[in-house]
Amino acid sequence: MTINDIAARAGVSISAVSFALNGRKGVSDQTRARVLQVADEMGWAPSSAARSLAEAKTETFGLVLARDPHNLGVESFYMRFFAGLELEMSIRGYGLLLQVVPSVEAELAKLAKWRNSRSVDGIILVDLHVEDPRVALATQPGALPTVVVGDPSLAGGLTSVWTDDAESMRSAVRYLADLGHRRIARVAGLAALAHTSIRDAAFADETRALGIHGELVRTDYTPQQGAECTRAALTGAEPPTALIYDNDVMAMAGLTVAHELGLDVPGDLSMIAWDDSVLCEHTLPSLTALSHDVVAFGSHVARRLFAVVDGAEPGAFLDSTPSLRVRGSTGPLRG
Amino acid sequence: MTINDIAARAGVSISAVSFALNGRKGVSDQTRARVLQVADEMGWAPSSAARSLAEAKTETFGLVLARDPHNLGVESFYMRFFAGLELEMSIRGYGLLLQVVPSVEAELAKLAKWRNSRSVDGIILVDLHVEDPRVALATQPGALPTVVVGDPSLAGGLTSVWTDDAESMRSAVRYLADLGHRRIARVAGLAALAHTSIRDAAFADETRALGIHGELVRTDYTPQQGAECTRAALTGAEPPTALIYDNDVMAMAGLTVAHELGLDVPGDLSMIAWDDSVLCEHTLPSLTALSHDVVAFGSHVARRLFAVVDGAEPGAFLDSTPSLRVRGSTGPLRG
């Protein structure tokens, strides 16, 4: 039995139970009396009370990031995402417990430790893989409240917050096709990540549907690989006339390669970045990008996790769909 | 009395005391007996034992960042710094409790809360101001173990880990002067930050000592302001022939402005970024930068905080000095 059970039986929030059992302010005398009565009826023991009270009181959400620490700062996505989480969490006085680990295995071990020690009140799962073992862990008995950041199909019935990456990718491909491009390359991120697969599939489907050539190249998100892949594609036998990159820094590095090769952007070549960032506004030409308010996305995720902690039923919540912000790097082919 | 006192008296680590009092594995029977005996001699009471045990067991260090969340992801510095912290902390199973707050006042409130609730085992103070109220808080009785990331002169006698920014700045100015530049502009970061003042002073001193013109412009670290300041400086009456930027993304945006104005870099204009990042390698030309291993810096800070938690005497620890990595964006003036 946990204080979740008492909260459910008493029809009040977990916070209210915590306040009532702990003799703290923040709950009416009436609610306090009701909670104590229900706790008594349910045979609530002080030891388990202390334990569950601790559960409800870390005022911390946990997030583990399995990424190479040396590449971690390159993309601004996660820092903006964290900032959005914190905007919402700070309203309730919550902090983010962040762990950077080298592998998904290490992440699993950390998540299991948090579950056993109840070190955090809830978990945010990011960088989802297909058949992700972390989702399996989060659906076991005794799991901490969890929100999956990713497609509902990956969430194992847990609450998820997601963006419709397939629709965004299709819109980008259609936009380039409408400009007259018939050979498009996708410079994709890490293959193991589920959202990469979703974008891959949408890219393949849409280019096929439009009867144009779609080429896929694989990277680790670093500008180094963004530059190398761009150079390889543009110096190949049948180079693409448009490139869609899976982040902003690869697009920036790709643009530099295009300049080095003497290509005019967008006269010879169009380029799209995903996600948009302030970097995209400060290249020459500025980069057309799939734009998403990542700070707001983070806040949305935090709100859903608070709801889960408070006992909300699981659900799949669609965040705003990344939409094309057209700048200088895309256009019709010259001549 | 805390378990630190018991650890000191028994001549063992705080962890050993924690393990021994808590009946956990990880300590020899001999040490356990010694700790229990010392605790008994010192009149160790269960209530204070419980409290101090909790103190030693959060396995968490706390860091508060008072920055605009929407600008937070722009620079890669903090994400790399966090990654470095985590590399070291993960060895001991520690996590980073991160709070992003809108102001130093909010940061102070959070730090005071952590101190009172002993929510973390130690604190990392960053973005130091002159006469920083957080340093005052961290030197009060009952303060948590703290490491200041910044110049020892700001640390109020607390342990500090610092880089010699004055020496780095002087070396950059001398390098540009040796190339023949006589008008140099410094595109500086937030004025309230102490390391900005240190760099400002070194820039003013070194340009004066060399008898060349030094101009200071102020920004908020965003590429927007980097671009605006560059444009204003280069279209002024007596434009500089070299610019030193306080981060990578402002230098990148400044380079774009130089191209827009039809200037050749480095033929017409030299540019230096601080800190170096992978972005600097993927501009055209690539950006000369003051380079510092920020991941290693983070790990260094974490090691010092573990030492403070373990009872080390305060000290000032100099990290490696950011050194010039010459790339394509600097050179002698054309003609």
Side-chain angles (χ1 to χ4, degrees):
Chain A
M1 185 176 60
T2 70
I3 65 169
N4 298 37
D5 303 319
I6 298 174
R9 176 87 71 96
V12 300
S13 73
I14 291 169
S15 304
V17 174
S18 168
F19 286 140
L21 292 177
N22 201 24
R24 284 163 66 198
K25 289 177 188 172
V27 69
S28 71
D29 290 346
Q30 193 183 349
T31 301
R32 189 184 310 277
R34 170 150 180 72
V35 168
L36 293 174
Q37 183 192 340
V38 168
D40 192 46
E41 286 169 5
M42 294 176 82
W44 187 248
S47 64
S48 62
R51 183 181 141 272
S52 288
L53 208 55
E55 279 177 40
K57 277 185 62 188
T58 70
E59 296 188 337
T60 306
F61 290 152
L63 188 150
V64 191
L65 208 49
R67 290 274 186 117
D68 178 347
H70 292 88
N71 288 342
L72 198 57
V74 176
E75 292 181 297
S76 65
F77 178 88
Y78 272 112
M79 206 65 184
R80 287 187 284 162
F81 183 73
F82 296 162
L85 289 174
E86 300 253 2
L87 273 180
E88 188 70 27
M89 289 162 65
S90 63
I91 297 170
R92 304 220 207 174
Y94 268 60
L96 181 68
L97 186 58
L98 177 66
Q99 297 269 177
V100 179
V101 296
S103 66
V104 171
E105 290 66 37
E107 178 170 355
L108 270 176
K110 176 54 68 177
L111 291 171
K113 189 182 169 194
W114 281 350
R115 181 197 59 194
N116 297 339
S117 61
R118 318 310 282 185
S119 318
V120 297
D121 294 356
I123 300 274
I124 298 153
L125 291 184
V126 297
D127 280 352
L128 269 279
H129 295 215
V130 176
E131 296 189 7
D132 199 301
R134 296 168 297 171
V135 170
L137 186 73
T139 51
Q140 284 173 2
L144 290 162
T146 299
V147 166
V148 171
V149 180
D151 197 87
S153 65
L154 310 164
L158 296 166
T159 289
S160 60
V161 183
W162 64 297
T163 54
D164 190 348
D165 285 22
E167 175 49 34
S168 298
M169 177 56 82
R170 287 192 296 264
S171 75
V173 171
R174 281 195 300 266
Y175 164 75
L176 292 170
D178 287 348
L179 288 171
H181 294 278
R182 293 291 171 266
R183 300 189 64 81
I184 305 177
R186 157 163 163 73
V187 181
L190 294 170
L193 300 183
H195 80 266
T196 305
S197 311
I198 289 170
R199 295 180 187 184
D200 286 352
F203 177 75
D205 288 350
E206 194 68 19
T207 48
R208 196 182 308 119
L210 295 169
I212 62 180
H213 182 77
E215 178 187 349
L216 178 71
V217 286
R218 214 32 102 201
T219 71
D220 62 358
Y221 289 121
T222 61
Q224 287 90 333
Q225 292 204 1
E228 286 164 18
C229 288
T230 303
R231 190 176 297 279
L234 295 179
T235 56
E238 293 188 281
T241 65
L243 293 142
I244 303 173
Y245 294 86
D246 248 353
N247 69 15
D248 53 346
V249 290
M250 289 198 295
M252 201 205 91
L255 179 61
T256 295
V257 169
H259 289 154
E260 286 170 348
L261 295 172
L263 295 171
D264 178 62
V265 177
D268 299 320
L269 186 66
S270 283
M271 296 179 138
I272 294 180
W274 185 351
D275 288 304
D276 195 14
S277 77
V278 287
L279 285 182
C280 298
E281 301 168 34
H282 293 280
T283 53
L284 191 64
S286 55
L287 284 162
T288 295
L290 283 159
S291 184
H292 184 215
D293 187 339
V294 176
V295 175
F297 186 44
S299 293
H300 186 183
V301 168
R303 278 196 303 281
R304 295 301 174 190
L305 185 49
F306 279 119
V308 171
V309 168
D310 288 345
E313 289 297 308
F317 299 95
L318 180 62
D319 201 63
S320 64
T321 299
S323 62
L324 210 57
R325 183 161 302 174
V326 174
R327 297 200 186 90
S329 67
T330 47
L333 286 174
R334 188 171 49 188
Chain B
M1 184 176 61
T2 70
I3 65 170
N4 299 37
D5 303 317
I6 299 175
R9 177 86 71 96
V12 299
S13 73
I14 292 170
S15 304
V17 175
S18 168
F19 286 139
L21 292 177
N22 200 24
R24 285 162 64 198
K25 288 178 187 173
V27 68
S28 71
D29 289 344
Q30 193 183 348
T31 301
R32 189 184 309 278
R34 169 149 182 75
V35 167
L36 292 174
Q37 185 193 338
V38 168
D40 191 46
E41 285 168 6
M42 294 176 83
W44 186 248
S47 63
S48 62
R51 183 180 141 272
S52 288
L53 207 56
E55 276 177 42
K57 277 185 58 189
T58 71
E59 295 188 337
T60 306
F61 289 153
L63 189 151
V64 191
L65 207 51
R67 290 273 185 118
D68 177 346
H70 292 88
N71 288 342
L72 199 57
V74 176
E75 292 180 298
S76 64
F77 177 87
Y78 272 111
M79 205 68 184
R80 287 186 284 163
F81 183 74
F82 295 161
L85 289 174
E86 301 252 2
L87 273 179
E88 188 68 27
M89 289 163 64
S90 64
I91 297 169
R92 304 220 206 174
Y94 269 61
L96 181 67
L97 185 59
L98 177 66
Q99 296 268 176
V100 179
V101 296
S103 66
V104 171
E105 291 67 38
E107 178 170 355
L108 270 174
K110 175 56 67 178
L111 291 171
K113 188 184 170 193
W114 280 350
R115 182 197 59 195
N116 296 339
S117 62
R118 319 308 282 186
S119 318
V120 298
D121 293 355
I123 299 275
I124 299 154
L125 290 184
V126 297
D127 280 353
L128 268 280
H129 295 216
V130 177
E131 296 189 7
D132 200 300
R134 295 167 297 171
V135 170
L137 185 73
T139 50
Q140 285 173 2
L144 290 162
T146 299
V147 166
V148 171
V149 180
D151 198 87
S153 65
L154 310 164
L158 296 166
T159 289
S160 60
V161 183
W162 64 297
T163 54
D164 190 348
D165 284 23
E167 176 49 33
S168 298
M169 177 57 81
R170 287 191 296 264
S171 74
V173 171
R174 281 195 300 267
Y175 164 74
L176 291 170
D178 286 348
L179 288 171
H181 294 278
R182 291 294 171 266
R183 301 188 63 83
I184 305 178
R186 156 161 163 73
V187 182
L190 294 170
L193 300 183
H195 80 265
T196 305
S197 310
I198 290 170
R199 294 180 187 185
D200 286 352
F203 177 75
D205 288 350
E206 194 66 21
T207 50
R208 195 183 309 120
L210 295 170
I212 62 179
H213 181 76
E215 179 187 350
L216 178 70
V217 286
R218 222 17 112 202
T219 70
D220 62 357
Y221 289 121
T222 60
Q224 286 91 333
Q225 293 203 2
E228 287 165 17
C229 288
T230 303
R231 189 176 297 279
L234 294 179
T235 56
E238 293 188 280
T241 64
L243 292 141
I244 304 174
Y245 295 86
D246 248 353
N247 68 16
D248 53 347
V249 289
M250 290 198 295
M252 200 206 92
L255 180 60
T256 295
V257 168
H259 288 155
E260 286 170 348
L261 295 172
L263 295 170
D264 178 62
V265 177
D268 299 320
L269 185 67
S270 283
M271 296 177 137
I272 294 179
W274 187 349
D275 289 306
D276 194 16
S277 76
V278 285
L279 285 182
C280 298
E281 301 168 35
H282 293 280
T283 53
L284 191 63
S286 56
L287 284 161
T288 294
L290 283 159
S291 185
H292 184 215
D293 187 339
V294 177
V295 175
F297 186 45
S299 293
H300 186 184
V301 169
R303 279 195 303 280
R304 293 304 173 188
L305 185 49
F306 278 119
V308 172
V309 167
D310 288 344
E313 288 298 305
F317 299 94
L318 181 61
D319 201 66
S320 64
T321 299
S323 62
L324 211 55
R325 182 161 303 173
V326 174
R327 297 200 186 90
S329 67
T330 48
L333 285 174
R334 189 171 48 189

